[in-house]
PDB file of all heavy atoms in Angstrom:
ATOM      1  N   VAL A   8     -12.571 -54.766  24.648  1.00  0.00           N
ATOM      2  CA  VAL A   8     -12.495 -55.240  23.247  1.00  0.00           C
ATOM      3  C   VAL A   8     -11.549 -54.340  22.494  1.00  0.00           C
ATOM      4  O   VAL A   8     -10.720 -54.807  21.736  1.00  0.00           O
ATOM      5  CB  VAL A   8     -13.915 -55.239  22.593  1.00  0.00           C
ATOM      6  CG1 VAL A   8     -13.779 -55.449  21.071  1.00  0.00           C
ATOM      7  CG2 VAL A   8     -14.774 -56.304  23.215  1.00  0.00           C
ATOM      8  N   VAL A  18     -11.690 -38.021  30.191  1.00  0.00           N
ATOM      9  CA  VAL A  18     -10.248 -38.072  30.024  1.00  0.00           C
ATOM     10  C   VAL A  18      -9.905 -38.595  28.644  1.00  0.00           C
ATOM     11  O   VAL A  18      -9.074 -38.035  27.975  1.00  0.00           O
ATOM     12  CB  VAL A  18      -9.656 -38.952  31.139  1.00  0.00           C
ATOM     13  CG1 VAL A  18      -8.111 -39.096  30.902  1.00  0.00           C
ATOM     14  CG2 VAL A  18      -9.935 -38.370  32.524  1.00  0.00           C
ATOM     15  N   ALA A  27      -5.914 -35.065  18.083  1.00  0.00           N
ATOM     16  CA  ALA A  27      -6.512 -34.580  16.806  1.00  0.00           C
ATOM     17  C   ALA A  27      -5.948 -33.198  16.489  1.00  0.00           C
ATOM     18  O   ALA A  27      -5.609 -32.898  15.304  1.00  0.00           O
ATOM     19  CB  ALA A  27      -8.032 -34.536  16.936  1.00  0.00           C
ATOM     20  N   GLU A  43      -3.835 -42.309  12.708  1.00  0.00           N
ATOM     21  CA  GLU A  43      -2.756 -41.596  13.421  1.00  0.00           C
ATOM     22  C   GLU A  43      -3.300 -40.947  14.682  1.00  0.00           C
ATOM     23  O   GLU A  43      -2.621 -40.964  15.726  1.00  0.00           O
ATOM     24  CB  GLU A  43      -2.107 -40.563  12.501  1.00  0.00           C
ATOM     25  CG  GLU A  43      -0.779 -40.030  13.091  1.00  0.00           C
ATOM     26  CD  GLU A  43      -0.211 -38.874  12.319  1.00  0.00           C
ATOM     27  OE1 GLU A  43      -0.639 -38.636  11.158  1.00  0.00           O
ATOM     28  OE2 GLU A  43       0.653 -38.155  12.899  1.00  0.00           O
ATOM     29  N   GLU A  63     -15.226 -35.277  10.589  1.00  0.00           N
ATOM     30  CA  GLU A  63     -15.864 -33.923  10.537  1.00  0.00           C
ATOM     31  C   GLU A  63     -16.216 -33.449  11.917  1.00  0.00           C
ATOM     32  O   GLU A  63     -15.905 -32.345  12.315  1.00  0.00           O
ATOM     33  CB  GLU A  63     -17.031 -33.927   9.596  1.00  0.00           C
ATOM     34  CG  GLU A  63     -17.564 -32.621   9.267  1.00  0.00           C
ATOM     35  CD  GLU A  63     -18.654 -32.619   8.290  1.00  0.00           C
ATOM     36  OE1 GLU A  63     -18.500 -33.156   7.153  1.00  0.00           O
ATOM     37  OE2 GLU A  63     -19.797 -32.181   8.584  1.00  0.00           O
ATOM     38  N   ARG A  72     -13.579 -26.449  21.067  1.00  0.00           N
ATOM     39  CA  ARG A  72     -12.822 -26.527  22.314  1.00  0.00           C
ATOM     40  C   ARG A  72     -11.713 -25.434  22.353  1.00  0.00           C
ATOM     41  O   ARG A  72     -11.550 -24.715  23.364  1.00  0.00           O
ATOM     42  CB  ARG A  72     -12.212 -27.901  22.523  1.00  0.00           C
ATOM     43  CG  ARG A  72     -11.536 -28.012  23.894  1.00  0.00           C
ATOM     44  CD  ARG A  72     -10.757 -29.339  24.078  1.00  0.00           C
ATOM     45  NE  ARG A  72      -9.507 -29.391  23.338  1.00  0.00           N
ATOM     46  CZ  ARG A  72      -8.560 -30.283  23.593  1.00  0.00           C
ATOM     47  NH1 ARG A  72      -8.759 -31.183  24.535  1.00  0.00           N
ATOM     48  NH2 ARG A  72      -7.454 -30.289  22.902  1.00  0.00           N
ATOM     49  N   GLU A  73     -10.972 -25.345  21.256  1.00  0.00           N
ATOM     50  CA  GLU A  73      -9.861 -24.372  21.243  1.00  0.00           C
ATOM     51  C   GLU A  73     -10.315 -22.935  21.295  1.00  0.00           C
ATOM     52  O   GLU A  73      -9.707 -22.088  21.913  1.00  0.00           O
ATOM     53  CB  GLU A  73      -8.930 -24.685  20.090  1.00  0.00           C
ATOM     54  CG  GLU A  73      -8.272 -26.047  20.058  1.00  0.00           C
ATOM     55  CD  GLU A  73      -7.561 -26.414  21.375  1.00  0.00           C
ATOM     56  OE1 GLU A  73      -7.184 -25.508  22.135  1.00  0.00           O
ATOM     57  OE2 GLU A  73      -7.426 -27.626  21.689  1.00  0.00           O
ATOM     58  N   ALA A 133     -16.082 -18.700  11.761  1.00  0.00           N
ATOM     59  CA  ALA A 133     -16.636 -17.326  11.690  1.00  0.00           C
ATOM     60  C   ALA A 133     -17.516 -17.028  12.913  1.00  0.00           C
ATOM     61  O   ALA A 133     -17.480 -15.895  13.477  1.00  0.00           O
ATOM     62  CB  ALA A 133     -17.435 -17.143  10.379  1.00  0.00           C
ATOM     63  N   GLU A 138     -17.977 -14.160  18.142  1.00  0.00           N
ATOM     64  CA  GLU A 138     -18.130 -14.154  19.606  1.00  0.00           C
ATOM     65  C   GLU A 138     -16.977 -13.327  20.224  1.00  0.00           C
ATOM     66  O   GLU A 138     -17.213 -12.595  21.146  1.00  0.00           O
ATOM     67  CB  GLU A 138     -18.152 -15.592  20.069  1.00  0.00           C
ATOM     68  CG  GLU A 138     -18.912 -15.782  21.368  1.00  0.00           C
ATOM     69  CD  GLU A 138     -18.969 -17.265  21.751  1.00  0.00           C
ATOM     70  OE1 GLU A 138     -19.375 -18.089  20.870  1.00  0.00           O
ATOM     71  OE2 GLU A 138     -18.627 -17.599  22.908  1.00  0.00           O
ATOM     72  N   ALA A 140     -15.101 -11.061  18.740  1.00  0.00           N
ATOM     73  CA  ALA A 140     -15.254  -9.684  18.363  1.00  0.00           C
ATOM     74  C   ALA A 140     -16.319  -8.963  19.251  1.00  0.00           C
ATOM     75  O   ALA A 140     -16.127  -7.832  19.630  1.00  0.00           O
ATOM     76  CB  ALA A 140     -15.631  -9.560  16.892  1.00  0.00           C
ATOM     77  N   ARG A 152     -17.474   4.429  27.476  1.00  0.00           N
ATOM     78  CA  ARG A 152     -18.501   4.991  28.365  1.00  0.00           C
ATOM     79  C   ARG A 152     -17.830   5.639  29.626  1.00  0.00           C
ATOM     80  O   ARG A 152     -18.250   6.641  30.144  1.00  0.00           O
ATOM     81  CB  ARG A 152     -19.494   3.977  28.817  1.00  0.00           C
ATOM     82  CG  ARG A 152     -20.603   3.774  27.806  1.00  0.00           C
ATOM     83  CD  ARG A 152     -21.704   2.831  28.317  1.00  0.00           C
ATOM     84  NE  ARG A 152     -21.238   1.514  28.584  1.00  0.00           N
ATOM     85  CZ  ARG A 152     -21.115   0.498  27.690  1.00  0.00           C
ATOM     86  NH1 ARG A 152     -21.407   0.764  26.427  1.00  0.00           N
ATOM     87  NH2 ARG A 152     -20.653  -0.673  28.000  1.00  0.00           N
ATOM     88  N   VAL A 165     -17.577   1.494  17.914  1.00  0.00           N
ATOM     89  CA  VAL A 165     -17.093   0.440  18.844  1.00  0.00           C
ATOM     90  C   VAL A 165     -17.002  -0.900  18.090  1.00  0.00           C
ATOM     91  O   VAL A 165     -15.987  -1.576  18.219  1.00  0.00           O
ATOM     92  CB  VAL A 165     -18.011   0.348  20.096  1.00  0.00           C
ATOM     93  CG1 VAL A 165     -17.773  -0.890  20.882  1.00  0.00           C
ATOM     94  CG2 VAL A 165     -17.845   1.609  20.958  1.00  0.00           C
ATOM     95  N   GLU A 177      -5.137 -11.268  15.252  1.00  0.00           N
ATOM     96  CA  GLU A 177      -5.018 -12.533  14.494  1.00  0.00           C
ATOM     97  C   GLU A 177      -3.781 -12.545  13.596  1.00  0.00           C
ATOM     98  O   GLU A 177      -3.024 -13.519  13.590  1.00  0.00           O
ATOM     99  CB  GLU A 177      -6.263 -12.677  13.583  1.00  0.00           C
ATOM    100  CG  GLU A 177      -7.385 -13.432  14.179  1.00  0.00           C
ATOM    101  CD  GLU A 177      -8.587 -13.560  13.219  1.00  0.00           C
ATOM    102  OE1 GLU A 177      -8.482 -12.953  12.094  1.00  0.00           O
ATOM    103  OE2 GLU A 177      -9.524 -14.209  13.551  1.00  0.00           O
ATOM    104  N   ALA A 191       5.789 -13.861  23.083  1.00  0.00           N
ATOM    105  CA  ALA A 191       4.386 -13.418  23.226  1.00  0.00           C
ATOM    106  C   ALA A 191       4.356 -12.006  23.843  1.00  0.00           C
ATOM    107  O   ALA A 191       3.527 -11.188  23.386  1.00  0.00           O
ATOM    108  CB  ALA A 191       3.642 -14.387  24.176  1.00  0.00           C
ATOM    109  N   ALA A 194       5.093  -9.484  21.049  1.00  0.00           N
ATOM    110  CA  ALA A 194       3.948  -9.300  20.158  1.00  0.00           C
ATOM    111  C   ALA A 194       2.813  -8.497  20.817  1.00  0.00           C
ATOM    112  O   ALA A 194       2.232  -7.630  20.246  1.00  0.00           O
ATOM    113  CB  ALA A 194       3.447 -10.653  19.723  1.00  0.00           C
ATOM    114  N   ARG A 214       5.500   5.759  23.233  1.00  0.00           N
ATOM    115  CA  ARG A 214       4.898   4.476  23.364  1.00  0.00           C
ATOM    116  C   ARG A 214       3.925   4.449  24.492  1.00  0.00           C
ATOM    117  O   ARG A 214       4.000   5.311  25.366  1.00  0.00           O
ATOM    118  CB  ARG A 214       5.983   3.377  23.529  1.00  0.00           C
ATOM    119  CG  ARG A 214       6.831   3.181  22.301  1.00  0.00           C
ATOM    120  CD  ARG A 214       8.051   2.352  22.536  1.00  0.00           C
ATOM    121  NE  ARG A 214       8.755   2.233  21.283  1.00  0.00           N
ATOM    122  CZ  ARG A 214       8.616   1.242  20.446  1.00  0.00           C
ATOM    123  NH1 ARG A 214       7.884   0.208  20.750  1.00  0.00           N
ATOM    124  NH2 ARG A 214       9.326   1.173  19.278  1.00  0.00           N
TER     125      ARG A 214
END
Side-chain angles (χ1 to χ4, degrees):
Chain A
V8 169
V18 175
E43 192 189 342
E63 189 177 303
R72 186 184 75 164
E73 299 307 338
E138 205 175 311
R152 277 188 297 277
V165 166
E177 268 182 354
R214 291 169 179 263

